[in-house]
Amino acid sequence: MSGSPSPLKAHSASPSELRDRIEAERRGRPFLVFRGDGREQQILDLDRHGERLSVGRGTTNELSLPWDTEVSRLHAEFECIAGQWTVSDDGLSRNGTFVNGQRVSGRHRLRDGDVIRVGQTSIAYKRPAAEDSQPTQIAGERLTLGDLPPTQRQVLVALARPYKHDEFAVPATNQEIAGELHLSVDAVKSHLRSLFQRFGIEHLPQNQKRSRLVAEALQSGVLSTRDL
């Protein structure tokens, strides 16, 4: 698959892009998400590319990034081993491959939410749990930010604040939210549990609930980047 450039530059996902990403998560299969030269979102379903996928500037790569001059012709390789996706460089690239800011040496096992950087292109790895596609609101109900209790609303905004200028951000931690709002960490956890239930995502694995809550809130219009 070939896309277009994705320089490391602040860019917020649009509601339609968030919707596409949520739909990809609901399919329950590992996928990559990055941006092209027209700044359009690209989603690549890894299961549709077998167990190995090369990435590089050359057009023969399964993930071809011909626009990024800092990417080598053959830069890195994604490989699925025993059901787990990994990324390796093994000296293939001139400028290196990075996962969450750390240069990869040899093979690196990927986890949900990892951000891989090759050249000037950031690629997010998502490994959602399989789940039934279900609405997050009661039929006919249009949830707004004003419908939430004041403290719950503040917790949701603080959780999502890192996404204001960076679509590959991670949600604020409980400690960060507690510090900003002068709450205890236990109080933050309690409000988040209520929000997970309100958005119908309490069944998700613990490590996916927070980012999914932000995505659902932004995609549904409950939150906008102006609120952050």
Side-chain angles (χ1 to χ4, degrees), residues 70 72 75 89 93-98 103-104 117-119:
E70 293 186 17
S72 298
H75 194 103
D89 190 318
S93 71
R94 173 174 293 182
N95 294 319
T97 300
F98 298 79
R103 186 164 185 162
V104 171
R117 179 168 64 83
V118 294

mmCIF file of all heavy atoms in Angstrom, residues 70 72 75 89 93-98 103-104 117-119:
data_model
loop_
_atom_site.group_PDB
_atom_site.id
_atom_site.type_symbol
_atom_site.label_atom_id
_atom_site.label_comp_id
_atom_site.label_asym_id
_atom_site.label_seq_id
_atom_site.Cartn_x
_atom_site.Cartn_y
_atom_site.Cartn_z
ATOM 1 N N GLU A 70 13.730 10.979 4.008
ATOM 2 C CA GLU A 70 14.546 10.478 5.108
ATOM 3 C C GLU A 70 14.323 8.983 5.359
ATOM 4 O O GLU A 70 14.947 8.395 6.230
ATOM 5 C CB GLU A 70 14.259 11.270 6.383
ATOM 6 C CG GLU A 70 14.714 12.722 6.288
ATOM 7 C CD GLU A 70 14.574 13.469 7.599
ATOM 8 O OE1 GLU A 70 14.431 12.803 8.648
ATOM 9 O OE2 GLU A 70 14.587 14.708 7.575
ATOM 10 N N SER A 72 14.713 5.157 4.054
ATOM 11 C CA SER A 72 15.539 4.381 3.130
ATOM 12 C C SER A 72 14.644 3.596 2.170
ATOM 13 O O SER A 72 13.459 3.367 2.443
ATOM 14 C CB SER A 72 16.436 3.414 3.901
ATOM 15 O OG SER A 72 17.317 4.129 4.746
ATOM 16 N N HIS A 75 13.482 0.175 4.559
ATOM 17 C CA HIS A 75 13.782 0.834 5.829
ATOM 18 C C HIS A 75 13.612 -0.099 7.030
ATOM 19 O O HIS A 75 14.470 -0.155 7.913
ATOM 20 C CB HIS A 75 12.876 2.057 5.998
ATOM 21 C CG HIS A 75 13.304 2.985 7.082
ATOM 22 N ND1 HIS A 75 13.949 4.180 6.842
ATOM 23 C CD2 HIS A 75 13.206 2.889 8.438
ATOM 24 C CE1 HIS A 75 14.218 4.784 7.995
ATOM 25 N NE2 HIS A 75 13.758 4.009 8.980
ATOM 26 N N ASP A 89 14.635 -3.378 12.304
ATOM 27 C CA ASP A 89 15.407 -2.565 11.365
ATOM 28 C C ASP A 89 16.655 -3.331 10.938
ATOM 29 O O ASP A 89 16.943 -3.484 9.759
ATOM 30 C CB ASP A 89 15.768 -1.227 12.036
ATOM 31 C CG ASP A 89 16.361 -0.227 11.060
ATOM 32 O OD1 ASP A 89 17.191 -0.631 10.231
ATOM 33 O OD2 ASP A 89 16.024 0.960 11.159
ATOM 34 N N SER A 93 18.117 0.638 7.563
ATOM 35 C CA SER A 93 17.931 2.061 7.279
ATOM 36 C C SER A 93 19.157 2.886 7.646
ATOM 37 O O SER A 93 19.961 2.500 8.494
ATOM 38 C CB SER A 93 16.723 2.591 8.055
ATOM 39 O OG SER A 93 17.034 2.664 9.436
ATOM 40 N N ARG A 94 19.262 4.037 7.030
ATOM 41 C CA ARG A 94 20.342 4.972 7.347
ATOM 42 C C ARG A 94 20.010 5.801 8.574
ATOM 43 O O ARG A 94 20.867 6.079 9.404
ATOM 44 C CB ARG A 94 20.603 5.889 6.151
ATOM 45 C CG ARG A 94 21.599 7.001 6.441
ATOM 46 C CD ARG A 94 21.942 7.789 5.196
ATOM 47 N NE ARG A 94 22.675 6.972 4.228
ATOM 48 C CZ ARG A 94 23.139 7.432 3.068
ATOM 49 N NH1 ARG A 94 22.926 8.694 2.734
ATOM 50 N NH2 ARG A 94 23.791 6.650 2.246
ATOM 51 N N ASN A 95 18.743 6.189 8.715
ATOM 52 C CA ASN A 95 18.352 7.104 9.791
ATOM 53 C C ASN A 95 17.694 6.421 10.984
ATOM 54 O O ASN A 95 17.340 7.085 11.956
ATOM 55 C CB ASN A 95 17.415 8.186 9.237
ATOM 56 C CG ASN A 95 18.132 9.086 8.257
ATOM 57 O OD1 ASN A 95 19.279 9.463 8.475
ATOM 58 N ND2 ASN A 95 17.468 9.426 7.160
ATOM 59 N N GLY A 96 17.518 5.123 10.923
ATOM 60 C CA GLY A 96 16.988 4.397 12.066
ATOM 61 C C GLY A 96 15.470 4.364 12.125
ATOM 62 O O GLY A 96 14.763 5.101 11.434
ATOM 63 N N THR A 97 14.974 3.459 12.966
ATOM 64 C CA THR A 97 13.549 3.288 13.219
ATOM 65 C C THR A 97 13.325 3.467 14.714
ATOM 66 O O THR A 97 14.089 2.936 15.521
ATOM 67 C CB THR A 97 13.080 1.886 12.775
ATOM 68 O OG1 THR A 97 13.324 1.743 11.368
ATOM 69 C CG2 THR A 97 11.609 1.665 13.056
ATOM 70 N N PHE A 98 12.292 4.195 15.085
ATOM 71 C CA PHE A 98 12.056 4.538 16.484
ATOM 72 C C PHE A 98 10.663 4.088 16.913
ATOM 73 O O PHE A 98 9.706 4.198 16.145
ATOM 74 C CB PHE A 98 12.184 6.055 16.688
ATOM 75 C CG PHE A 98 13.561 6.589 16.357
ATOM 76 C CD1 PHE A 98 13.934 6.813 15.038
ATOM 77 C CD2 PHE A 98 14.478 6.841 17.369
ATOM 78 C CE1 PHE A 98 15.207 7.289 14.729
ATOM 79 C CE2 PHE A 98 15.750 7.326 17.072
ATOM 80 C CZ PHE A 98 16.107 7.547 15.749
ATOM 81 N N ARG A 103 15.203 4.426 19.691
ATOM 82 C CA ARG A 103 15.669 3.769 18.477
ATOM 83 C C ARG A 103 15.626 2.253 18.646
ATOM 84 O O ARG A 103 16.035 1.702 19.679
ATOM 85 C CB ARG A 103 17.085 4.221 18.133
ATOM 86 C CG ARG A 103 17.573 3.678 16.789
ATOM 87 C CD ARG A 103 18.774 4.427 16.283
ATOM 88 N NE ARG A 103 19.156 3.971 14.947
ATOM 89 C CZ ARG A 103 19.936 4.651 14.125
ATOM 90 N NH1 ARG A 103 20.420 5.825 14.503
ATOM 91 N NH2 ARG A 103 20.235 4.182 12.925
ATOM 92 N N VAL A 104 15.121 1.571 17.619
ATOM 93 C CA VAL A 104 15.003 0.118 17.639
ATOM 94 C C VAL A 104 16.349 -0.508 17.314
ATOM 95 O O VAL A 104 17.013 -0.131 16.351
ATOM 96 C CB VAL A 104 13.946 -0.356 16.617
ATOM 97 C CG1 VAL A 104 13.971 -1.876 16.479
ATOM 98 C CG2 VAL A 104 12.562 0.121 17.035
ATOM 99 N N ARG A 117 8.297 5.614 14.296
ATOM 100 C CA ARG A 117 8.720 6.700 13.401
ATOM 101 C C ARG A 117 9.799 6.203 12.456
ATOM 102 O O ARG A 117 10.807 5.647 12.882
ATOM 103 C CB ARG A 117 9.237 7.907 14.185
ATOM 104 C CG ARG A 117 9.701 9.046 13.257
ATOM 105 C CD ARG A 117 9.922 10.336 14.017
ATOM 106 N NE ARG A 117 10.989 10.243 14.993
ATOM 107 C CZ ARG A 117 12.280 10.389 14.704
ATOM 108 N NH1 ARG A 117 12.668 10.588 13.441
ATOM 109 N NH2 ARG A 117 13.191 10.315 15.662
ATOM 110 N N VAL A 118 9.548 6.378 11.178
ATOM 111 C CA VAL A 118 10.546 6.117 10.140
ATOM 112 C C VAL A 118 10.701 7.412 9.352
ATOM 113 O O VAL A 118 9.731 7.971 8.866
ATOM 114 C CB VAL A 118 10.124 4.944 9.221
ATOM 115 C CG1 VAL A 118 10.094 3.641 9.987
ATOM 116 C CG2 VAL A 118 8.772 5.196 8.570
ATOM 117 N N GLY A 119 11.917 7.921 9.256
ATOM 118 C CA GLY A 119 12.110 9.219 8.617
ATOM 119 C C GLY A 119 11.287 10.271 9.317
ATOM 120 O O GLY A 119 11.346 10.452 10.532
#
